[in-house]
Amino acid sequence: MLAITLLVLCAVGTQALDNGLARTPPMGWLIWERFRCNTNCKLDPNNCVSEKLVKEMADRMVEDGYKDVGYEYVNLDDCWSDKERDAQGRLQADPDRFPSGIKSLADYIHSRGLKMGIYGDYGTKTCAGYPGSLGHLQTDAQTFADWGIDMLKLDGCNSNVTTMKKGYPEMTKYLNATGRPILFSCSWPDYERAAKIPINYTLVADNCNIWRNYDDINDSWGSITGIIDYYDKTQDTLVPAAGPGHFNDPDMIVVGDQGINVNQANAQMAMWSIFAAPLLMSNDLRNIQPVYRDILQNKEVIRINQDPAGKMGKRVLTLGPKVDVWLRHLNPWETYAIVFLSQDTRPRTVSLKLEQLGLTYGFGYQLRDVINHKFIGYWTPGESHNYTMPATGVLMIYAYGNE
């Protein structure tokens, strides 16, 4: 009997995430990069972290076409809660900025046909100093479920990083136990990377739907290329970890903010789609320029991002300084996404045969430019052709075998 009991306890302790979510990379909006921890609603009522702001973003997602192309999560980040738990030890929203409470906010978001995400922290306090979940994991998991939360981002500030391999799976167990499907976004690998602790991506993928593994993104081209370079250097580790239900997360989409131009915005969308990465916008949808809205709603790029095979692409070729070629195998057979990425400040043209990328289908390929929405041509593997990229930008191609 003792042996049976121990086996049962062991099985519960190692229970994998079981929510059926994120079969393709999640899409939505996340408050952090654009609005940070702005809590001063008296001086800045239109841009502070509040239920008013979140509702307005949900409205824009529905009314301006984002929901129609696949964006569905509306996510809070740090600084939403009160500085103290309630008398029962549960998290509670800041009463001034969220006077209706989180459940009411989630109900509103659901009424718009969207889903709501929230933020927690594995440590004693969040990164901004609000109550953390350490010692309260089970309570917080149930609280989020009771509120109708659909996604949880669990950060890792103010914690012992060496315990994360045990602690994050513990939260997985408690989320499973609520019976509510809650997409689980983990920051665990990023903290282990920073602490130079080896990352067990098999364990991470068993317990998280998506996971951060590098620095926070900022609204700049340098930040975007820094993340791309990290994914390049670690691709042999990251590619096998990704698949339906579990994806690497290079952080938010900053398209529509002030720090990048149109070429760079197209480049971020293209590369995040090659990565099979979440598309979680962090911008102000109330006043975004139409050109950036169109980039975010590019159905051809989104189709690649959401490919059901869920395979992460990788860099397969470098063509001189500052030009790399990335390839992602799509569904069905002999279908690919190709990105020519230039970090040069001038337009670049390179010459290439498809067979150099491993595309050897004897009947050739139809090629389509998915950013400019135009057919390029029918090319056989051994033909050499020129490919032109704009300055600090990409050429993104959808290639499919000719029948």
Side-chain angles (χ1 to χ4, degrees), residues 68-378:
D68 292 339
V69 297
Y71 294 94
E72 61 176 344
Y73 288 94
V74 184
N75 294 351
L76 286 168
D77 206 276
D78 207 345
C79 309
W80 63 267
S81 77
D82 191 70
K83 287 285 188 176
E84 302 293 337
R85 292 176 175 268
D86 69 13
Q88 287 74 44
R90 296 171 302 193
L91 292 169
Q92 55 186 343
D94 181 282
D96 297 321
R97 294 181 286 115
F98 295 87
S100 303
I102 299 300
K103 186 180 187 308
S104 175
L105 180 57
D107 289 345
Y108 180 83
I109 289 171
H110 293 155
S111 76
R112 308 272 5 213
L114 300 169
K115 298 178 180 179
M116 181 170 176
I118 205 163
Y119 170 99
D121 191 285
Y122 171 65
T124 55
K125 291 186 179 297
T126 72
C127 300
Y130 291 80
S133 290
L134 193 65
H136 303 271
L137 292 174
Q138 185 173 14
T139 297
D140 291 352
Q142 189 60 54
T143 299
F144 297 146
D146 292 344
W147 285 344
I149 294 299
D150 304 293
M151 178 174 175
L152 168 64
K153 172 184 173 182
L154 193 66
D155 213 334
C157 281
N158 301 301
S159 66
N160 182 345
V161 179
T162 64
T163 68
M164 288 183 175
K165 281 185 171 66
K166 178 182 177 183
Y168 273 82
E170 187 178 356
M171 189 56 152
T172 296
K173 177 184 69 174
Y174 293 136
L175 290 173
N176 283 343
T178 70
R180 180 174 181 82
I182 299 177
L183 193 153
F184 193 20
S185 170
C186 301
S187 298
W188 156 26
D190 184 33
Y191 285 87
E192 289 190 329
R193 174 195 61 83
K196 296 182 170 31
I197 297 172
I199 303 168
N200 181 346
Y201 274 108
T202 300
L203 184 63
V204 172
D206 280 346
N207 287 280
C208 308
N209 293 119
I210 61 176
W211 53 82
R212 291 283 312 285
N213 44 25
Y214 193 60
D215 295 343
D216 287 359
I217 198 167
N218 292 307
D219 180 19
S220 73
W221 179 237
S223 177
I224 291 170
T225 56
I227 292 169
I228 293 171
D229 290 346
Y230 174 77
Y231 271 54
D232 180 354
K233 293 173 185 175
T234 58
Q235 65 180 12
D236 290 343
T237 300
L238 300 184
V239 169
H246 46 93
F247 296 99
N248 297 288
D249 180 7
D251 211 5
M252 294 161 278
I253 297 289
V254 294
V255 173
D257 290 331
Q258 304 301 313
I260 60 174
N261 62 33
V262 170
N263 291 345
Q264 295 160 355
N266 275 314
Q268 190 190 16
M269 282 290 288
M271 290 306 302
W272 266 233
S273 295
I274 285 290
F275 293 151
L279 299 180
L280 298 174
M281 309 175 288
S282 191
N283 46 24
D284 191 341
L285 298 176
R286 299 168 299 186
N287 55 29
I288 193 170
Q289 295 180 40
V291 64
Y292 293 110
R293 181 191 63 218
D294 291 345
I295 291 171
L296 290 163
Q297 294 184 13
N298 185 328
K299 293 180 181 178
E300 294 191 74
V301 175
I302 290 172
R303 176 188 177 189
I304 291 168
N305 177 272
Q306 295 289 294
D307 184 76
K311 295 180 179 178
M312 179 180 169
K314 63 191 304 185
R315 182 185 56 78
V316 292
L317 205 60
T318 296
L319 298 173
K322 299 184 178 181
V323 176
D324 292 316
V325 187
W326 293 72
L327 183 73
R328 180 180 173 191
H329 195 176
L330 306 174
N331 187 53
W333 176 77
E334 288 301 340
T335 306
Y336 301 89
I338 307 167
V339 167
F340 293 79
L341 169 67
S342 173
Q343 297 189 33
D344 203 326
T345 55
R346 304 164 298 166
R348 291 287 300 273
T349 299
V350 295
S351 181
L352 179 74
K353 298 177 181 179
L354 293 177
E355 63 185 12
Q356 292 176 254
L357 305 178
L359 277 64
T360 58
Y361 184 53
F363 292 102
Y365 298 86
Q366 308 276 358
L367 273 63
R368 180 172 174 80
D369 178 342
V370 298
I371 290 177
N372 296 300
H373 309 294
K374 64 182 182 181
F375 180 68
I376 296 174
Y378 158 63

